[in-house]
């Protein structure tokens, strides 16, 4: 029966409407070629088969479809153009997966090439950084050290040449190069800290140095002794020197370590802010003195907390605890008398922190621990003290602190905290929001465990802080 134009339109419409169901049936059941041709006899004709191939690659443009099939299956493309319907049908019907997956092979190859080129650029940046050489040139990137090094490496791998000059490649941009250097620096710092934390004792050496431009910079070096008595000195960072930069540098070196937790770092920051608001303001200090006279209190004044001395002075924390109630009254009065918006915000901030149970817990625990460590520090500064005597005194301090990790000592500490909380009218302790460990850190399939009461949660903190080995 001869095919007419009207019947051809009907066949095209039916084949288009049943395309999705037909593809799903062929992929799922993988029927024989004869079965498919018996059910859809239009596929025996080359024009309908070619329309089917065009629909598979997801475009109505036959030129685009032709180019995609050239990359996908060159053999099918050649057979389709020669109108060898039987063999083309066989190849088409044997496609058991989405053509998009097969098309992704080309994309996968492009990604692998891009990954290889990025690794080559990264290794070149690492080489120049290790040698202490500048990456960029004097304004002309074509003569920069990085570009010249990549041109040399192109003798072994010519594929890198287009990546040096192509506009779509952002790896050669100075911002991306700085990011690569920063990631490498962080990785080196992590390795240094991991090695340093294997030693029970760690020394932090902080000093200033003057560069050629006559600017003072802070130098921070860590020193520790390994189990085989090997002394290691590792440079950590170099930054512009001022009091705050010294504090930040020391905190950055210890953040995440077992020596200080973030809660206690925040507590010391709040204490330093309290001291600044009182000691650096004659008005606030006079108001505090007047409040103490009205109440009839004979407690000593607030001691200065010097940021350049690691912010761990026991006397300063003890003075804040001794004047805790008076300082709360000072903030209540000072927030209304302050005319500066910034000063009001600072007062409200420390006032809110001092009314929280977590701050009270941290400052009391810090004062208890630092009372022992400050005495140890003062003893070790004696000029006639031998290394053996210093080691014995340090181990005695460690033994004393670890001896506090008992249930009886925690109960006594908790009773002291509760007494202070009631005396200062502090908020009751609350359980923190339950947070699961990220799945990438999960080591097993056991369900997550959470504290059942605030006391249990703070018992865990108490024991963790006193775990020194």
């Amino acid at each position: 029966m001869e095919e007419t134009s009207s019947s051809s339109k009907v066949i095209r419409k039916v084949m288009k409407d049943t395309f999705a169901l037909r593809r799903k049936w062929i992929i799922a059941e993988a029927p024989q070629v004869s079965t498919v041709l018996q059910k859809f006899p239009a596929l025996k004709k080359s024009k309908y088969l070619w329309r089917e191939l065009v629909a598979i690659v997801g475009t109505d443009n036959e030129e685009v479809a032709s180019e995609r099939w050239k990359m996908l299956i060159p053999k099918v493309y050649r057979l389709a153009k020669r109108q060898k319907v039987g063999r083309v049908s066989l190849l088409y019907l044997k496609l058991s997966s989405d053509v998009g997956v097969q098309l992704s092979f080309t994309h996968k190859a492009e990604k692998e090439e891009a990954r290889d080129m990025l690794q080559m650029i990264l290794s070149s940046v690492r080489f120049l950084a290790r040698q202490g050489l500048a990456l960029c040139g004097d304004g002309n990137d074509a003569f920069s050290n990085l570009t010249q090094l990549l041109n040399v490496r192109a003798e072994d791998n010519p594929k890198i040449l287009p990546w040096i000059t192509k506009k779509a490649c952002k790896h050669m941009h100075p911002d991306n190069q700085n990011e690569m250097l920063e990631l490498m620096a962080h990785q080196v710092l992590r390795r240094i800290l991991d090695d340093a934390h294997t030693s029970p004792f760690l020394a932090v050496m902080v000093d200033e140095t003057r560069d050629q431009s006559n600017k003072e910079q802070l130098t921070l070096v860590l020193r520790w002794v390994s189990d085989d008595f090997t002394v290691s000195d590792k440079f950590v960072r170099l930054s512009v020197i001022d009091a705050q930069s010294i504090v930040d540098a020391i905190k950055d070196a210890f953040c995440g370590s077992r020596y200080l937790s973030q809660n206690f770092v925040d507590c010391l920051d709040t204490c330093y802010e309290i001291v600044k608001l009182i000691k650096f303001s004659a008005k606030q200090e006079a108001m505090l003195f007047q409040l103490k006279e009205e109440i009839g209190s004979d407690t000593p004044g607030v001691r200065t907390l010097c940021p350049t001395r690691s912010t761990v002075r026991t006397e300063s924390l003890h003075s804040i605890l001794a004047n805790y109630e008076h300082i709360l009254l000072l903030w209540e009065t000072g927030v209304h008398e302050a005319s500066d918006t910034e000063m009001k915000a600072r007062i409200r901030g420390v006032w809110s922190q001092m009314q929280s149970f977590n701050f009270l817990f941290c400052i009391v625990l810090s004062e208890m621990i630092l009372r022992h460590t400050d005495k140890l520090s003062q003893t070790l500064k004696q000029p006639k003290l031998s290394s053996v005597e210093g080691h014995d005194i340090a181990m005695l301090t460690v033994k004393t602190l670890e001896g506090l990790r008992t249930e009886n000592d925690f109960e006594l500490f908790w009773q002291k905290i509760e007494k202070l909380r009631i005396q200062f009218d502090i908020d009751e302790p609350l359980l923190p929001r339950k947070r699961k460990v990220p799945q990438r850190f999960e080591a097993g399939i056991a369900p997550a465990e959470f504290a059942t009461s605030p006391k249990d949660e703070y018992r865990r903190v108490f024991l963790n802080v006193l775990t020194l080995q």
Side-chain angles (χ1 to χ4, degrees):
M1 181 177 179
E2 185 178 355
E3 181 182 359
T4 61
S5 59
S6 58
S7 62
S8 177
K9 292 180 180 180
V10 174
I11 294 174
R12 287 199 301 269
K13 184 178 183 305
V14 172
M15 294 295 290
K16 181 178 179 180
D17 294 340
T18 59
F19 173 76
L21 293 175
R22 184 166 57 256
R23 287 292 300 156
K24 183 178 179 180
W25 171 59
I26 293 174
I27 293 173
E29 300 184 10
Q32 297 292 329
V33 176
S34 58
T35 305
V36 179
L37 294 179
Q38 183 179 0
K39 191 170 184 178
F40 299 99
L43 292 176
K44 296 179 180 180
K45 292 185 175 292
S46 60
K47 61 179 181 179
Y48 297 119
L49 177 61
W50 180 248
R51 289 181 180 276
E52 192 83 356
L53 299 178
V54 171
I56 290 175
V57 295
T59 178
D60 295 333
N61 191 326
E62 294 193 4
E63 293 183 1
V64 176
S66 177
E67 292 298 326
R68 290 185 181 179
W69 276 101
K70 282 181 181 179
M71 295 185 298
L72 180 62
I73 305 179
K75 189 174 182 179
V76 173
Y77 170 76
R78 291 194 300 268
L79 294 175
K81 298 302 289 184
R82 295 173 187 172
Q83 298 184 0
K84 294 184 178 180
V85 180
R87 296 180 63 185
V88 174
S89 301
L90 179 62
L91 289 172
Y92 159 66
L93 295 174
K94 284 186 176 180
L95 292 176
S96 58
S97 61
D98 192 348
V99 177
V101 176
Q102 301 183 41
L103 283 172
S104 67
F105 291 156
T106 304
H107 181 59
K108 180 181 179 181
E110 293 177 353
K111 290 197 299 183
E112 290 178 351
E113 180 182 351
R115 187 182 300 110
D116 293 339
M117 298 303 103
L118 175 59
Q119 290 178 352
M120 183 176 293
I121 295 174
L122 272 172
S123 61
S124 301
V125 172
R126 182 179 60 182
F127 172 79
L128 294 175
R130 284 181 173 178
Q131 300 300 319
L133 300 176
L135 272 65
C136 300
D138 56 352
N140 189 352
D141 291 339
F143 297 100
S144 65
N145 291 331
L146 180 59
T147 303
Q148 293 299 319
L149 178 59
L150 291 174
N151 286 329
V152 173
R153 299 187 66 180
E155 297 177 1
D156 299 328
N157 190 354
K159 293 182 179 179
I160 192 62
L161 288 175
W163 288 81
I164 301 176
T165 57
K166 64 187 300 187
K167 295 183 179 180
C169 177
K170 302 297 183 181
H171 305 314
M172 299 295 292
H173 194 275
D175 292 341
N176 285 20
Q177 295 174 15
N178 291 334
E179 185 177 356
M180 294 177 191
L181 292 173
E182 184 178 0
L183 292 174
M184 295 177 188
H186 288 169
Q187 183 64 23
V188 172
L189 181 59
R190 291 190 194 100
R191 293 179 179 177
I192 293 175
L193 293 179
D194 289 341
D195 293 340
H197 292 165
T198 59
S199 174
F201 301 104
L202 183 67
V204 182
M205 297 181 290
V206 183
D207 198 1
E208 65 174 354
T209 182
R210 196 179 301 274
D211 59 10
Q212 294 181 353
S213 61
N214 203 27
K215 289 185 178 180
E216 294 182 351
Q217 293 184 331
L218 174 71
T219 305
L220 192 147
V221 178
L222 299 181
R223 170 179 287 182
W224 68 92
V225 181
S226 61
D227 295 337
D228 57 353
F229 301 103
T230 301
V231 180
S232 299
D233 293 325
K234 295 295 183 180
F235 171 78
V236 175
R237 65 179 295 173
L238 184 72
S239 59
V240 179
I241 187 169
D242 55 46
Q244 188 60 39
S245 66
I246 297 176
V247 177
D248 294 339
I250 297 175
K251 287 179 181 177
D252 290 343
F254 284 101
C255 270
S257 70
R258 66 170 183 244
Y259 298 97
L260 288 177
S261 65
Q262 188 60 43
N263 287 335
F264 289 89
V265 172
D266 295 340
C267 173
L268 293 176
D269 286 341
T270 304
C271 291
Y272 180 53
E273 184 68 17
I274 293 171
V275 171
K276 286 197 301 182
L277 288 173
I278 297 176
K279 301 298 291 184
F280 297 166
S281 173
K283 180 180 179 181
Q284 298 290 344
E285 192 170 14
M287 290 174 61
L288 179 61
F289 181 77
Q290 183 179 358
L291 286 172
K292 292 169 63 177
E293 278 192 341
E294 294 175 356
I295 299 175
S297 175
D298 57 350
T299 57
V302 177
R303 298 288 298 272
T304 302
L305 189 64
C306 182
T308 59
R309 300 181 69 180
S310 305
T311 67
V312 291
R313 306 312 301 170
T314 309
E315 294 83 357
S316 181
L317 299 183
H318 179 73
S319 65
I320 293 176
L321 283 173
N323 295 275
Y324 206 97
E325 189 174 4
H326 311 318
I327 296 174
L328 288 175
L329 293 175
L330 174 64
W331 301 146
E332 186 176 358
T333 305
V335 73
H336 299 292
E337 295 188 1
S339 57
D340 187 9
T341 305
E342 182 182 356
M343 180 62 68
K344 286 185 177 181
R346 292 173 61 187
I347 293 176
R348 287 194 179 99
V350 296
W351 189 16
S352 175
Q353 287 291 325
M354 292 184 66
Q355 288 177 322
S356 66
F357 181 86
N358 187 67
F359 175 78
L360 180 64
F361 179 88
C362 290
I363 190 175
V364 174
L365 184 56
S366 299
E367 192 269 340
M368 182 187 73
I369 296 175
L370 297 176
R371 191 186 316 122
H372 297 279
T373 58
D374 280 1
K375 290 181 180 179
L376 173 62
S377 177
Q378 294 173 2
T379 304
L380 294 178
K381 291 178 181 177
Q382 296 179 7
K384 296 183 179 181
L385 187 70
S386 66
S387 59
V388 176
E389 292 174 339
H391 178 268
D392 293 340
I393 295 174
M395 295 306 297
L396 181 61
T397 304
V398 172
K399 186 177 180 180
T400 302
L401 291 175
E402 288 186 339
L404 299 175
R405 297 184 69 254
T406 62
E407 186 65 27
N408 186 34
D409 288 314
F410 173 74
E411 288 296 335
L412 294 175
F413 182 80
W414 186 260
Q415 292 175 9
K416 178 182 178 181
I417 293 290
E418 281 292 317
K419 183 179 178 180
L420 293 175
R421 183 186 69 81
I422 297 173
Q423 178 184 348
F424 301 149
D425 193 21
I426 302 299
D427 298 336
E428 293 185 359
L430 298 175
L431 276 173
R433 183 171 62 89
K434 295 181 179 180
R435 298 178 180 177
K436 292 184 178 180
V437 178
Q439 191 173 6
R440 63 180 181 275
F441 296 142
E442 288 284 356
I445 59 175
E449 296 182 1
F450 301 99
T452 57
S453 65
K455 186 176 180 180
D456 292 338
E457 174 65 20
Y458 283 100
R459 179 187 287 107
R460 180 189 63 81
V461 176
F462 181 85
L463 297 178
N464 287 344
V465 170
L466 292 175
T467 303
L468 303 180
Q469 293 183 355

